[in-house]
Structures are given as C-alpha cells and as structure tokens.
Amino acid sequence: MIPVLIVGGGPVGLALAIELGWRGVPCTLIEQGDGEIVEAKMFATGIRTVEFCRRWGIAREVRDWGFPRDFPFDNVFVTSLAGYELARIPMPSIEHTPPVEQSPENFAHCPQFVFDPILRRKAESLRAVTLRYRTRLERFEERADRVVAHLAGGEKIEAAFLVGCDGYASGVRKALGIEMHGDALLNRAVNIMFRTAGLSALHGKGNAGRYVTIGVEGPWASLTAADGRERWRLMVYDQKDLSDREAADAVRRAVGRDFDFEILTVGVWARRNLVAERYGSKRVFLAGDAVHVMPPNGGLGMNTGIGDAVDLGWKLAAVHEGWGGPALLASYDAERRPVGARACAEAMRNFERITPRRHFPEIHADTEAGRRTREELGAKLSVSIRNAWDSPLNTHLGYRYDGSPIAVADAPPPPEPEDSRVYLQSSQPGGRAPHAWLGDGRSTLDLFGKGFTLLRFSAREQSLSAAAQRRGVPLEAVDIEDAHIARLYQKRLVLVRPDGHVAWRGDAPPADAGALLDRVRGAVHSNVPEEEVS
C-alpha cells in the first residue's frame, strides 16, 4: 500500500507530488493524458506560488526561463493593434520590476507550457515520487483504513489516501457526491494559441504583455504575449466555439490587418465561479479546480490550487510520519475552503471591472463622437481594472486561516484592506509568517518547511522543544537577535508551521507546551480553550 495516490497531473497535482516527495513521502501520480502542454491556460505565477517554488529549489527556473527581460508588461486597451489606443496601464519589464519589500520573490510570467514541465522535471527528480501518464482512474472504494483505486485495464492500487486534482469535471469529486455552489456559467471563451514572427512590426503600439481589444460590443478579446518572441494567445470572450477559419478571422480582427501566422491550438472553456461544499472525506481529498473554479481575471485559479497542495501536503506527511494527529487532516477543509471562496470573490470583482455592460457603436468612428467615446471608456478602464493587474499583494499573500482548529488566535483578526494591493505583514496566527532578510542573506521564509519552527526574539523557551521531542514532532528553535525583525514579528516567541503560517505566538512560554503542540498538530479537537494553550 502506498501512502498517497494523486489523480491528475496538472500543476496542482504536480505541486502536491513535489511537496510530498520533498518531504520524503512516497506518492504516485496518475494522469490520463500524456502530460504534454501546448496551450497556455495560465500565465501569471503568483508571488506566493514563487515562494513555494523557492522552497522546492525551482524558483530561478520559474523566473528566468527565457522570457525577454526587457519586454514590457503594459496592459493596453485598443480597438485593434492597428487601430486606436484607448488606454494604457504601464507595467515594468522583468529587469525593471522593483523588489517586493514583503517577499524574497516576486510575481513571475511563466505560461503553463513552461511552468508544468518545470514542475514535472522537479517531481521526476524526487526519489519518493512516481509519475504515471496515460493511466486512468475508473473508480475507487474508500474503506476505513485505505482507498482502493481501480485503474483502466484492471489494475488496482491501494493507498492510505487519495487526492483528486482532476479539474472542474473531477470524477473523484463526483464519486464523493460533493456539489459545487455558485455561478455554473458566466460565459464561454475560446483560447487561440498562434505563432507569428515580428508582430510588433505590424502596429505602432509597442510591445505589451496584454492588449485588450474593444469593439462596438465592448471588450471582446485579449491578446497576451506567451514567450515574448513569437507565441501569442488570443482569448475571445463570449464564444461557444470557433472553427479554424473563424479563429483565424478573430486573430486578424484583433491585430487589425492580414498577416502571416500559424494557429497552434484552439480550445473552448467556460468561465465559472464555484466553490465545493466540502473539500473531501476522511481518506479522499480534493484540490485545485476540483473544488474551486473562478474567472481568470487576476490570475488566482492555479495559484489558489498550489496553496491547496502545500496545505494538504504537509498534513499528509505529518500523518504518514506519525506525528500528525487525527484532527489534522480535517483542518484542510476548514482552512482552504474559505480561501477558495475569497479567491472566487476577488476574481469576480476583477471580471466585473473589465466587463462593461453596454455597447459602443461609435468606438471605431473617426468623428468627435468616436473620439469622446474612446476617451471616456479609456479613462474608466484605466482606473477600474488597475486593482486586478497592479500587483494585488494582499490577494496573494494576505489570506489567513482565521478560525482554524490548529491555529491559536490571540486577537480578533484584522479586516481585509479595501485595496487588494495593500499587504501589511503580521504574525497574526493563521497568517503567513512575515518575510525579512537575515544577516546571512537568507529570508526568514527560508527557515520554514520541514517541520515547525520556533522563532525566539530575546526569549528563553525550552518547554516547546522538550514537548515536541517527546511527541516526535519536528521542531527547530531559531534565535534571532534583530530589532527590526522582532518588531515585525510583534511577539517574543512565534511558532511557525511547516507551510510557513503562524500557529501560535506569545511573549511568554505557553502555560502548557504539550497542550499547545497537541492543538497545532491536530492531536486534539478545536474545543480546547484558548487560555489552556496560550
């Protein structure tokens, strides 16, 4: 019997395999396809995802895979590339992107046809990971002590746990009878991947990361630079399907002229906004699009799924290693489902910002009415969608596990900032532990991962280490003599979980170190009074 069987070989399934394999937990990933990626369903690798890639040793590959460092990421609103420019939101190139004060990393432009192979290579390099492509799950049986998976061809695999990372149409979720709630269909879109040389020579708008094309019907498509050289993706909104000829016509319409290009793929997808009613059962769990789907506006879907994988990964590892308690895996739903709902809500706000509800019959006209229409619309778009595309740090870094049964709250959670770009670091339990640079050049985030980490700021504390040793819980105590970092962390003692989120903090040792550790490792249920562990 293997510890974990992962169903689905997209970025979330691969991330879970890496998180488990990095911890030395044997796992097998099965994927019914061949794993080859041509289409780019996602481009934006969020800053928290890049932080996780830093943990796995692949952040440099994600950042520096070959996209031109001087290519600007401006967002430009046009009637077509050869037509009128309505508005421009300047966004810096890679080489001119300033560092983020709150992180050792930054957002990365890494399309899925680049990102997935990076994850796959990392997973393949881990001795504990087995990847099996062209392998399909037909059904499974969840028993008291294991899951029996039946594969196509009659093979059976027994696993302690099964995780469905098999997308919106998840067969694992359907087998569990779990419903999705929200907007089942907002609209449909068509992704057209095409290749052409020298696109910038065909217009005078300059290079840009994204061009949003607006016609009399409002925004009808967006054109995104995939590799900064010759590969592009045109996303056509509100379309059920396009023939190859219609797809080619859409590309010409977006550019505004005829030119030579090669269509690589044409794919139809539905824009939805849904969250699952629960994230699994006792031995079968779900992650990624299997439990939350949202509009792509803001680049939150895949990145939220990677967060699912990291949260679930360390908990599965803890149970496999014997120090995770019986309530630990139940905390996955309590922590990640609200985060999924939060991401869906933010994606919907972004979607509504860029979706005007009226037509613009004069938008192409070379008249005073046409000029006024373009100016008014451009001014509105410049303001309304900046939140979605201007480094929404709080959206990516500011999620917290408020009310988590394995985080010990000591104060009411602060409210969400009105501006999603504003992120204030805090050691609030349940939130991401703050980043700061240590004297040796490492980030505080580099201290976290394999087990619990107790940060001690001019404080003597031995009881937690002793209690952890008695329970077999991996815990490393780190003394930090830095006044700036001490102020950032707010308390003299801060206990950080393997996923980099704060479990507990205090200015004095806990009244009962054993009770505290039992709480944060899921050995007791959340009805333990706060005063007994604080």
Side-chain angles (χ1 to χ4, degrees):
M1 183 170 69
I2 63 173
V4 183
L5 175 65
I6 302 167
V7 181
V12 176
L14 288 168
L16 178 58
I18 293 169
E19 181 71 10
L20 290 169
W22 180 71
R23 297 180 182 282
V25 179
C27 61
T28 295
L29 180 152
I30 60 173
E31 162 59 44
Q32 63 182 355
D34 61 8
E36 296 300 314
I37 302 294
V38 177
E39 185 180 9
K41 296 180 181 178
M42 51 73 63
F43 288 95
T45 307
I47 188 169
R48 186 61 171 150
T49 297
V50 182
E51 289 180 353
F52 294 138
C53 291
R54 178 187 182 94
R55 156 190 291 192
W56 301 327
I58 57 174
R60 182 180 297 276
E61 288 183 76
V62 171
R63 292 192 309 263
D64 303 329
W65 58 271
F67 195 87
R69 295 187 60 82
D70 60 351
F71 195 99
F73 286 104
D74 294 3
N75 290 284
V76 186
F77 297 86
V78 296
T79 56
S80 71
L81 267 65
Y84 296 102
E85 179 175 320
L86 309 180
R88 180 179 295 260
I89 299 177
M91 304 287 283
S93 63
I94 294 173
E95 68 179 0
H96 291 115
T97 298
V100 177
E101 179 184 355
Q102 301 95 327
S103 177
E105 297 295 341
N106 213 322
F107 293 86
H109 177 86
C110 191
Q112 193 169 359
F113 61 78
V114 175
F115 187 65
D116 279 24
I118 292 173
L119 294 180
R120 180 173 176 174
R121 288 193 297 272
K122 180 62 181 180
E124 289 172 335
S125 75
L126 297 169
R127 186 173 300 176
V129 176
T130 300
L131 303 182
R132 295 182 55 182
Y133 292 90
R134 298 190 184 279
T135 304
R136 180 167 56 86
L137 175 71
E138 289 195 333
R139 60 186 177 88
F140 63 87
E141 304 159 16
E142 183 177 7
R143 300 178 182 174
D145 62 343
R146 67 191 63 198
V147 179
V148 180
H150 298 263
L151 310 184
E155 182 183 359
K156 289 196 300 185
I157 295 180
E158 294 189 349
F161 299 97
L162 183 149
V163 184
C165 304
D166 48 345
Y168 168 68
S170 172
V172 176
R173 187 190 69 243
K174 292 173 182 175
L176 292 175
I178 295 175
E179 299 290 335
M180 300 277 274
H181 298 293
D183 299 304
L185 181 62
L186 296 168
N187 61 25
R188 296 185 185 276
V190 176
N191 280 350
I192 305 167
M193 292 293 299
F194 69 94
R195 178 188 289 123
T196 187
L199 183 64
S200 61
L202 302 178
H203 61 88
K205 307 296 186 296
N207 283 328
R210 181 189 287 107
Y211 305 92
V212 178
T213 56
I214 301 177
V216 296
E217 70 271 53
W220 69 272
S222 62
L223 181 64
T224 306
D227 63 4
R229 295 179 175 84
E230 61 177 15
R231 294 179 70 168
W232 297 82
R233 184 192 71 185
L234 182 70
M235 180 191 296
V236 184
Y237 312 145
D238 294 317
Q239 287 289 331
K240 294 182 178 180
D241 198 2
L242 290 177
S243 66
D244 289 347
R245 182 184 61 79
E246 290 169 331
D249 288 344
V251 170
R252 295 187 187 94
R253 179 188 174 192
V255 175
R257 57 183 297 178
D258 194 14
F259 66 106
D260 291 329
F261 60 93
E262 175 192 3
I263 290 182
L264 303 175
T265 63
V266 178
V268 182
W269 60 279
R271 186 180 268 107
R272 313 177 196 274
N273 190 59
L274 297 161
V275 181
E277 61 187 1
R278 52 191 174 93
Y279 273 28
S281 58
K282 184 178 179 181
R283 291 193 171 272
V284 181
F285 300 93
L286 301 160
D289 285 359
V291 281
H292 48 69
V293 288
M294 62 201 74
N297 310 84
L300 301 177
M302 184 275 292
N303 292 293
T304 304
I306 299 290
D308 297 339
V310 171
D311 185 271
L312 183 57
W314 79 266
K315 293 170 181 175
L316 287 168
V319 171
H320 171 72
E321 292 164 3
W323 57 267
L328 186 60
L329 289 172
S331 71
Y332 171 64
D333 181 278
E335 292 189 341
R336 291 305 300 177
R337 191 151 51 91
V339 173
R342 174 184 185 264
C344 283
E346 178 67 16
M348 274 300 294
R349 286 191 289 269
N350 293 336
F351 169 64
E352 289 166 352
R353 288 181 184 119
I354 199 173
T355 310
R357 304 297 186 186
R358 60 191 181 89
H359 288 196
F360 306 96
E362 304 287 339
I363 197 165
H364 296 293
D366 187 15
T367 63
E368 179 60 24
R371 183 190 62 79
R372 187 166 57 251
T373 294
R374 292 188 290 272
E375 287 182 355
E376 291 175 355
L377 179 58
K380 181 179 294 186
L381 288 169
S382 294
V383 174
S384 65
I385 69 161
R386 180 169 289 275
N387 255 21
W389 290 340
D390 191 12
S391 300
L393 277 177
N394 190 65
T395 300
H396 288 265
L397 298 180
Y399 60 85
R400 298 186 309 270
Y401 301 138
D402 295 335
S404 168
I406 60 168
V408 183
D410 58 7
E416 288 270 13
E418 293 184 6
D419 189 338
S420 63
R421 295 169 294 177
V422 176
Y423 170 60
L424 301 177
Q425 296 197 98
S426 167
S427 64
Q428 177 86 16
R432 165 188 171 275
H435 153 73
W437 292 111
L438 300 166
D440 61 6
R442 291 181 298 165
S443 164
T444 50
L445 272 58
D446 297 330
L447 301 174
F448 316 137
K450 294 294 188 181
F452 283 88
T453 305
L454 177 64
L455 302 182
R456 301 187 297 202
F457 299 95
S458 302
R460 298 177 63 85
E461 210 306 304
Q462 301 295 334
S463 63
L464 277 168
S465 295
Q469 188 172 17
R470 289 194 299 270
R471 288 160 172 78
V473 176
L475 186 151
E476 180 180 4
V478 179
D479 293 306
I480 298 180
E481 300 292 337
D482 184 302
H484 165 69
I485 301 177
R487 286 192 298 272
L488 185 63
Y489 272 79
Q490 301 168 296
K491 300 288 186 178
R492 297 177 67 196
L493 296 166
V494 180
L495 182 65
V496 183
R497 308 181 337 179
D499 61 348
H501 283 250
V502 175
W504 169 88
R505 63 181 181 174
D507 284 323
D512 187 332
L516 171 59
L517 275 178
D518 287 344
R519 169 74 175 274
V520 300
R521 70 186 180 96
V524 295
H525 292 284
S526 60
N527 57 1
V528 177
E530 301 291 338
E531 60 268 18
E532 290 187 16
V533 294
S534 59

mmCIF file of all heavy atoms in Angstrom, residues 10 23 50 103 105 158 184-185 192 289 327 356 369 446 500 513:
data_model
loop_
_atom_site.group_PDB
_atom_site.id
_atom_site.type_symbol
_atom_site.label_atom_id
_atom_site.label_comp_id
_atom_site.label_asym_id
_atom_site.label_seq_id
_atom_site.Cartn_x
_atom_site.Cartn_y
_atom_site.Cartn_z
ATOM 1 N N GLY A 10 -1.932 17.944 -13.649
ATOM 2 C CA GLY A 10 -1.760 19.361 -13.936
ATOM 3 C C GLY A 10 -0.860 20.001 -12.892
ATOM 4 O O GLY A 10 -0.229 19.318 -12.078
ATOM 5 N N ARG A 23 9.353 16.055 1.045
ATOM 6 C CA ARG A 23 9.330 15.626 2.441
ATOM 7 C C ARG A 23 9.643 14.136 2.590
ATOM 8 O O ARG A 23 9.622 13.600 3.710
ATOM 9 C CB ARG A 23 7.960 15.916 3.044
ATOM 10 C CG ARG A 23 7.613 17.389 3.084
ATOM 11 C CD ARG A 23 6.238 17.642 3.695
ATOM 12 N NE ARG A 23 5.919 19.061 3.664
ATOM 13 C CZ ARG A 23 6.410 19.958 4.510
ATOM 14 N NH1 ARG A 23 7.222 19.571 5.487
ATOM 15 N NH2 ARG A 23 6.086 21.235 4.408
ATOM 16 N N VAL A 50 5.551 31.429 -6.226
ATOM 17 C CA VAL A 50 7.004 31.502 -6.448
ATOM 18 C C VAL A 50 7.743 31.265 -5.131
ATOM 19 O O VAL A 50 8.827 30.658 -5.110
ATOM 20 C CB VAL A 50 7.401 32.842 -7.091
ATOM 21 C CG1 VAL A 50 8.904 32.877 -7.359
ATOM 22 C CG2 VAL A 50 6.648 33.052 -8.409
ATOM 23 N N SER A 103 8.533 40.200 0.425
ATOM 24 C CA SER A 103 8.836 38.845 -0.030
ATOM 25 C C SER A 103 10.244 38.780 -0.612
ATOM 26 O O SER A 103 10.729 39.765 -1.181
ATOM 27 C CB SER A 103 7.825 38.403 -1.095
ATOM 28 O OG SER A 103 8.146 37.117 -1.605
ATOM 29 N N GLU A 105 10.698 36.983 -3.131
ATOM 30 C CA GLU A 105 10.401 36.666 -4.517
ATOM 31 C C GLU A 105 9.490 37.734 -5.122
ATOM 32 O O GLU A 105 9.269 38.778 -4.529
ATOM 33 C CB GLU A 105 9.749 35.284 -4.622
ATOM 34 C CG GLU A 105 10.637 34.143 -4.151
ATOM 35 C CD GLU A 105 11.879 33.946 -5.026
ATOM 36 O OE1 GLU A 105 11.876 34.440 -6.166
ATOM 37 O OE2 GLU A 105 12.823 33.274 -4.576
ATOM 38 N N GLU A 158 -3.693 0.288 -3.941
ATOM 39 C CA GLU A 158 -4.176 0.584 -2.603
ATOM 40 C C GLU A 158 -3.330 1.705 -2.021
ATOM 41 O O GLU A 158 -2.094 1.677 -2.109
ATOM 42 C CB GLU A 158 -4.108 -0.659 -1.713
ATOM 43 C CG GLU A 158 -5.057 -1.760 -2.146
ATOM 44 C CD GLU A 158 -5.130 -2.895 -1.143
ATOM 45 O OE1 GLU A 158 -4.299 -2.925 -0.212
ATOM 46 O OE2 GLU A 158 -6.029 -3.743 -1.274
ATOM 47 N N ALA A 184 -22.611 28.630 -12.237
ATOM 48 C CA ALA A 184 -22.151 27.499 -13.039
ATOM 49 C C ALA A 184 -21.675 27.923 -14.427
ATOM 50 O O ALA A 184 -20.862 27.231 -15.032
ATOM 51 C CB ALA A 184 -23.255 26.467 -13.162
ATOM 52 N N LEU A 185 -22.169 29.045 -14.944
ATOM 53 C CA LEU A 185 -21.733 29.507 -16.256
ATOM 54 C C LEU A 185 -21.896 31.019 -16.343
ATOM 55 O O LEU A 185 -23.009 31.531 -16.337
ATOM 56 C CB LEU A 185 -22.531 28.827 -17.370
ATOM 57 C CG LEU A 185 -22.143 29.217 -18.790
ATOM 58 C CD1 LEU A 185 -20.693 28.813 -19.077
ATOM 59 C CD2 LEU A 185 -23.077 28.578 -19.809
ATOM 60 N N ILE A 192 -7.020 30.875 -28.408
ATOM 61 C CA ILE A 192 -6.341 30.596 -29.678
ATOM 62 C C ILE A 192 -4.852 30.842 -29.478
ATOM 63 O O ILE A 192 -4.426 31.980 -29.248
ATOM 64 C CB ILE A 192 -6.869 31.506 -30.808
ATOM 65 C CG1 ILE A 192 -8.388 31.388 -30.935
ATOM 66 C CG2 ILE A 192 -6.171 31.177 -32.126
ATOM 67 C CD1 ILE A 192 -9.010 32.477 -31.790
ATOM 68 N N ASP A 289 -8.864 23.033 -9.180
ATOM 69 C CA ASP A 289 -10.134 23.257 -9.867
ATOM 70 C C ASP A 289 -11.190 22.222 -9.508
ATOM 71 O O ASP A 289 -12.379 22.424 -9.788
ATOM 72 C CB ASP A 289 -9.926 23.251 -11.382
ATOM 73 C CG ASP A 289 -9.270 24.526 -11.889
ATOM 74 O OD1 ASP A 289 -9.000 25.418 -11.060
ATOM 75 O OD2 ASP A 289 -9.020 24.627 -13.097
ATOM 76 N N ALA A 327 -7.059 14.915 14.043
ATOM 77 C CA ALA A 327 -7.831 16.083 13.603
ATOM 78 C C ALA A 327 -7.083 16.931 12.579
ATOM 79 O O ALA A 327 -7.622 17.925 12.094
ATOM 80 C CB ALA A 327 -8.207 16.953 14.813
ATOM 81 N N PRO A 356 -17.697 45.936 -19.283
ATOM 82 C CA PRO A 356 -18.744 46.953 -19.396
ATOM 83 C C PRO A 356 -20.043 46.343 -19.894
ATOM 84 O O PRO A 356 -20.047 45.443 -20.735
ATOM 85 C CB PRO A 356 -18.171 47.934 -20.420
ATOM 86 C CG PRO A 356 -16.694 47.721 -20.381
ATOM 87 C CD PRO A 356 -16.517 46.262 -20.088
ATOM 88 N N ALA A 369 -17.733 62.210 -31.908
ATOM 89 C CA ALA A 369 -18.422 61.268 -31.030
ATOM 90 C C ALA A 369 -17.560 60.030 -30.774
ATOM 91 O O ALA A 369 -17.504 59.506 -29.655
ATOM 92 C CB ALA A 369 -19.759 60.854 -31.640
ATOM 93 N N ASP A 446 13.013 31.159 4.457
ATOM 94 C CA ASP A 446 13.890 30.020 4.213
ATOM 95 C C ASP A 446 14.074 29.147 5.455
ATOM 96 O O ASP A 446 14.623 28.040 5.359
ATOM 97 C CB ASP A 446 15.260 30.499 3.724
ATOM 98 C CG ASP A 446 15.174 31.239 2.396
ATOM 99 O OD1 ASP A 446 14.271 30.919 1.599
ATOM 100 O OD2 ASP A 446 15.997 32.147 2.164
ATOM 101 N N GLY A 500 4.676 27.549 6.626
ATOM 102 C CA GLY A 500 5.040 28.950 6.736
ATOM 103 C C GLY A 500 3.962 29.835 7.311
ATOM 104 O O GLY A 500 4.096 31.061 7.285
ATOM 105 N N ALA A 513 2.897 23.563 27.282
ATOM 106 C CA ALA A 513 3.514 23.377 25.974
ATOM 107 C C ALA A 513 2.980 22.129 25.274
ATOM 108 O O ALA A 513 2.778 22.117 24.058
ATOM 109 C CB ALA A 513 5.033 23.281 26.118
#
